[in-house]
Amino acid sequence: MDIDLMLRVYPFFIEAAWVTILLSVLTAILGLTCGALGAAARLSRFALIRFLGAAYVSVFRGTPALIQLFILYFGGPQIGIQLDAFEAGVIGLGINAGAYMTETIRGAIISIDKGQREAARTLGLSQWQAMYKIILPQAARLMVRPLGVNLNMLIKATALVAAISVIELTYTAQRYIGSTYKPFEMFLLAGILYMIIIYVTGRGVAWLDRKVQIN
Amino acid sequence: MTDQKHFVEIRHAQKAFGTLEVLKDISLNVERGQIVAIIGPSGSGKSTLLRAINDLDPLTGGEIILDGVQVNKTLPHRQYEKHINEMRQQIGMVFQHFNLFPHMTARENVTMAPKMLKGLSKEEADALAVEQLDKVGMLERIDYYPSRLSGGQKQRVAIARALAMKPKLMLFDEATSALDPELVDEVNQVMKKLAEEHMTMIIVTHEMDFAASVCDRVLFMDKGVVVEEGPPEVVFRNPTQERTREFLRKHLAGAK
Amino acid sequence: MGLDFSVVPQYLDIILLGCAWTIGITVAAAILSFFGGIVFAVIALYAPWIIRQPFRLIAWVFMSTPLLLQLFLIYFGLVQIGIDLPAFIAGIIGLGLHFAVYNSELIQTAILSVDKGQMEAARTVGLSRSQALRKVVIPQAVRAVIPPIGNNMIALLKDSALVSVIGVSELTLSAQRVIGRTYRPFEFYLVAAAFYYVINLGMEWVLRKIERRISISR
């Protein structure tokens, strides 16, 4: 193992890790937003909106994220969408993650016993009041863990933007593998940084999960 | 609008799920302060009727009128929502499985709706919680979460929660059916107390003894129709219908 | 430059060939990941400590790093140690091992939940520990996790697009090649997406059939 080389190039990897982190954070924010909207659509009382929500989930979960990214980044200009690689990465991955999060959020909401909604409604609460005062606080507790799984997948999925040349961890590893012919060392450098990000995120999710479960 | 004579009027109530008729033309009047028990085998439609009164299971035909106002109006969505939420504030409901809000303490369960819908201040709400939880004998557990209460205690808190909205009418949907036998009595005691205060109540129950002791009137339902109706001493002692006799034979024998 | 789908039909043969490769790679990797998952699960649970612990660490590394990075490691790593495999073989190995690790996690949980009573029952009729595992515990555990493994296989199909990056001529790379000639990325990536969607539906249909058969034979 070429430790010398690793010591020489690791600063570039750390720099790239920050890009991965930034990508992950922005993608997670966009994904959660899309997920909340998607879940609301799937639970709407209007059939058309429910259909649109279901179509969103089906299409974005039924096709590879990489292809979605390519359509947005390479095909976007043809329909007047000009994005740089980083923007396309955040938007493409965010919308993709949102489709998975839609199902997570919806799953948590519909798993709340229907007696809860009925009890709230019999007291005179409106649909919306019952949702945000009774259903959502309970569903939120159930969501933390599966959303954590979504987040874990999302962080790993940020590697896909290497394919559109965003200089993040995987792209950096790929470039140094090409120039140094040391695939194992470069994998190790990038891998350790990914593992740190995944580990810290996982602990954060576990902490949040414990915190919301109290009582 | 309606020639109101009775406090609660159910007129020609019908309910069908597809081709399955659960309620077939049921009419029932309840006077202010009266207590009516609905008994019958499972699948008789008794819970459906009760849940139709506050439009939780909307009727497919007929009218429900409470204190001169029709509950199950056909209105555009927004207006219906506003109307039904106002009506439901006047109709308390107690469920078989309590349906307490698990993320709220007993106090919060009781005060949530009054604070939200009637704009009670924190002090007023606290006073209300103390008053209602005291009435059901749950004052010492005021800051407990439901997960730390027994079934009977949960149901008493659920009753306090419904009472906190100061309803005109209380509906009990098999309130003691999910309880261990030794916990049934504490809930029955609370219901008796409400009876003494002349709360108007409609009770779906399996407890024939309880129905006999507190109710002014008993309805025996089977297969979506009212088979027999009358004062408990008549329905329980001298039923005129064969179906009633058969049901009581099974049930009273089973209970003993 | 607007959209023009009229060029699509003349390149459809290339796209369809790509589809065939995608299906082939997916099926091969799925089979590898299924049996690999069983082997990995047994190692992670029953191998001696000295093997088990490093193995678990490696499994954790594979679950905490992106598939794309792993594909680069396998593809270039094999070359470096002198094994020059065709790209599609490297792709199948990469995808197969990656998902074997995920399948292994599912199977381990299932084995542990089946193990207790069933192992004891099997031992009382005279089976050795490894016989009991092979004949009683593992078959039951695997059956129990067929639905979630099916979900992993669906994910595998979509992740198979990543092997385009190491030069496997499957659907995504085929689309890229056509785009290289036509300069119509939107049209052809959309066509590729449509084919993925259809293959995905087909795969879900097959998995539902398998699940139903298993639940009947239980």
Side-chain angles (χ1 to χ4, degrees):
Chain A
M1 192 153 48
D2 194 339
I3 304 277
D4 263 5
L5 175 68
M6 287 169 76
L7 287 175
R8 245 182 307 128
V9 298
Y10 86 90
F12 299 104
F13 280 77
I14 291 191
E15 213 173 298
W18 285 112
V19 178
T20 290
I21 291 168
L22 182 64
L23 257 171
S24 301
V25 170
L26 294 176
T27 303
I29 292 169
L30 181 59
L32 273 174
T33 311
C34 291
L37 290 173
R42 290 215 56 185
L43 297 168
S44 163
R45 63 194 171 88
F46 299 109
L48 179 68
I49 295 177
R50 277 202 305 277
F51 171 78
L52 290 176
Y56 165 55
V57 170
S58 175
V59 167
F60 281 85
R61 297 207 317 173
T63 55
L66 188 64
I67 292 279
Q68 293 162 24
L69 214 51
F70 284 168
I71 292 179
L72 183 63
Y73 182 62
F74 296 116
Q78 278 176 271
I79 53 167
I81 300 171
Q82 296 276 1
L83 297 169
D84 69 33
F86 186 87
E87 291 163 353
V90 169
I91 294 171
L93 293 175
I95 294 174
N96 178 265
Y100 289 87
M101 290 177 171
T102 292
E103 288 305 87
T104 304
I105 294 170
R106 171 175 168 273
I109 289 172
I110 63 175
S111 72
I112 301 300
D113 181 47
K114 84 180 196 332
Q116 290 292 310
R117 197 187 65 87
E118 286 183 352
R121 295 306 306 272
T122 55
L123 288 168
L125 269 66
S126 71
Q127 281 177 354
W128 170 239
Q129 287 169 329
M131 180 55 89
Y132 93 90
K133 194 80 189 172
I134 304 302
I135 309 290
L136 282 181
Q138 295 180 57
R141 291 168 163 81
L142 299 178
M143 272 176 223
V144 173
R145 225 182 287 217
L147 280 177
V149 175
N150 290 146
L151 185 61
N152 176 300
M153 306 294 278
L154 177 157
I155 292 167
K156 285 178 276 179
T158 60
L160 297 188
V161 300
I164 55 172
S165 306
V166 176
I167 305 171
E168 44 66 80
L169 258 179
T170 297
Y171 182 84
T172 304
Q174 183 194 5
R175 212 176 51 184
Y176 279 99
I177 290 171
S179 62
T180 63
Y181 297 103
K182 298 279 185 197
F184 183 73
E185 285 84 346
M186 298 306 120
F187 173 80
L188 208 59
L189 272 179
I192 288 169
L193 290 166
Y194 273 116
M195 284 187 280
I196 292 171
I197 296 170
I198 295 274
Y199 180 76
V200 170
T201 313
R203 292 307 295 263
V205 169
W207 173 83
L208 189 64
D209 188 49
R210 260 199 319 279
K211 202 168 152 72
V212 297
Q213 300 308 335
I214 286 171
N215 79 60
Chain B
M1 46 190 276
T2 53
D3 48 331
Q4 170 76 18
K5 293 188 220 86
H6 309 282
F7 188 57
V8 181
E9 282 185 50
I10 299 172
R11 294 180 183 166
H12 307 295
Q14 291 166 30
K15 172 82 182 176
F17 295 105
T19 55
L20 179 73
E21 278 190 287
V22 188
L23 300 177
K24 301 170 190 163
D25 193 26
I26 290 184
S27 294
L28 164 70
N29 297 323
V30 181
E31 308 309 329
R32 201 183 287 271
Q34 256 192 352
I35 298 162
V36 174
I38 307 176
I39 60 171
S42 59
S44 60
K46 54 193 194 303
S47 279
T48 309
L49 178 64
L50 195 77
R51 289 162 57 88
I53 293 172
N54 61 6
D55 220 29
L56 218 48
D57 278 345
L59 291 177
T60 41
E63 294 170 350
I64 309 273
I65 294 152
L66 170 66
D67 205 5
V69 185
Q70 188 177 343
V71 179
N72 60 334
K73 279 183 192 163
T74 310
L75 291 169
H77 182 76
R78 255 167 224 276
Q79 281 161 274
Y80 167 79
E81 274 282 305
K82 189 170 177 305
H83 162 75
I84 198 65
N85 293 337
E86 279 165 11
M87 293 309 298
R88 283 175 178 159
Q89 292 184 35
Q90 303 167 32
I91 308 172
M93 183 154 191
V94 176
F95 299 86
Q96 181 178 358
H97 295 287
F98 332 126
N99 297 348
L100 281 183
F101 307 130
H103 58 303
M104 296 179 179
T105 61
R107 181 201 305 269
E108 289 162 344
N109 264 281
V110 171
T111 58
M112 186 273 297
K115 269 165 133 172
M116 195 166 203
L117 302 172
K118 295 185 169 172
L120 261 60
S121 69
K122 197 182 173 309
E123 291 72 29
E124 290 168 324
D126 275 336
L128 181 68
V130 169
E131 178 199 342
Q132 297 302 338
L133 288 168
D134 189 31
K135 181 182 270 180
V136 299
M138 287 297 296
L139 196 52
E140 339 63 296
R141 302 282 158 107
I142 189 163
D143 287 317
Y144 279 44
Y145 282 96
S147 58
R148 294 181 58 204
L149 301 175
S150 73
Q153 292 172 331
K154 282 182 193 164
Q155 195 60 298
R156 286 189 278 153
V157 173
I159 293 171
R161 175 178 71 180
L163 292 175
M165 288 303 286
K166 312 278 183 196
K168 293 175 174 175
L169 168 68
M170 284 286 285
L171 309 174
F172 290 84
D173 189 4
E174 307 203 11
T176 54
S177 297
L179 297 177
D180 292 336
E182 71 272 20
L183 302 177
V184 168
D185 197 49
E186 59 186 83
V187 175
N188 282 344
Q189 290 307 324
V190 171
M191 289 166 72
K192 273 195 181 131
K193 199 160 155 191
L194 289 179
E196 284 155 17
E197 293 171 9
H198 305 293
M199 170 65 81
T200 313
M201 300 196 264
I202 303 177
I203 300 168
V204 167
T205 184
H206 279 135
E207 306 254 334
M208 303 305 151
D209 293 337
F210 180 72
S213 67
V214 299
C215 295
D216 302 300
R217 209 139 50 91
V218 177
L219 245 75
F220 172 66
M221 274 180 73
D222 191 17
K223 301 192 176 105
V225 295
V226 177
V227 177
E228 188 155 359
E229 151 172 29
E233 53 277 16
V234 176
V235 174
F236 286 123
R237 303 249 168 77
N238 298 306
T240 58
Q241 301 294 315
E242 181 49 38
R243 267 148 90 188
T244 318
R245 268 179 244 147
E246 196 187 327
F247 174 79
L248 289 173
R249 230 181 355 256
K250 275 188 204 155
H251 260 262
L252 295 177
K256 294 288 137 71
Chain C
M1 182 157 98
L3 298 184
D4 177 12
F5 285 91
S6 67
V7 294
V8 171
Q10 66 186 104
Y11 292 100
L12 216 51
D13 51 344
I14 300 178
I15 299 290
L16 285 172
L17 190 63
C19 283
W21 273 101
T22 285
I23 293 169
I25 289 165
T26 302
V27 170
I31 293 168
L32 177 61
S33 76
F34 180 74
F35 292 104
I38 297 173
V39 173
F40 288 0
V42 172
I43 295 174
L45 289 177
Y46 300 107
W49 190 91
I50 191 76
I51 298 172
R52 198 170 71 219
Q53 289 308 332
F55 187 83
R56 285 184 174 179
L57 178 69
I58 294 169
W60 186 68
V61 171
F62 271 76
M63 288 204 302
S64 311
T65 53
L67 173 60
L68 190 58
L69 189 66
Q70 293 164 21
L71 287 173
F72 288 140
L73 173 72
I74 288 168
Y75 185 60
F76 295 104
L78 287 173
V79 173
Q80 198 196 15
I81 56 174
I83 305 172
D84 198 2
L85 289 171
F88 82 92
I89 301 280
I92 290 170
I93 294 173
L95 279 171
L97 291 182
H98 181 81
F99 281 93
V101 173
Y102 282 92
N103 288 345
S104 158
E105 290 294 309
L106 295 170
I107 296 168
Q108 282 177 49
T109 315
I111 287 178
L112 291 177
S113 74
V114 173
D115 192 352
K116 269 218 152 130
Q118 291 293 316
M119 179 66 98
E120 280 171 10
R123 295 301 293 275
T124 56
V125 298
L127 269 64
S128 74
R129 194 176 152 79
S130 78
Q131 280 171 327
L133 249 147
R134 265 184 300 141
K135 299 283 177 199
V136 179
V137 176
I138 291 174
Q140 286 187 57
V142 169
R143 272 179 179 212
V145 290
I146 289 290
I149 284 183
N151 291 340
N152 279 353
M153 299 302 95
I154 299 270
L156 190 155
L157 165 66
K158 285 169 279 166
D159 278 349
S160 75
L162 299 195
V163 301
S164 66
V165 177
I166 58 169
V168 184
S169 303
E170 41 63 82
L171 184 47
T172 303
L173 190 56
S174 301
Q176 262 164 26
R177 294 226 168 103
V178 174
I179 290 160
R181 285 193 231 166
T182 60
Y183 303 105
R184 296 229 155 256
F186 194 93
E187 289 88 337
F188 282 98
Y189 282 132
L190 202 65
V191 167
F195 276 106
Y196 274 114
Y197 189 72
V198 171
I199 299 170
N200 186 59
L201 288 182
M203 208 165 150
E204 281 177 357
W205 183 79
V206 171
L207 286 169
R208 264 202 305 277
K209 286 248 153 180
I210 294 174
E211 273 172 39
R212 202 165 307 150
R213 276 188 60 172
I214 285 171
S215 65
I216 288 167
S217 68
R218 235 202 281 234

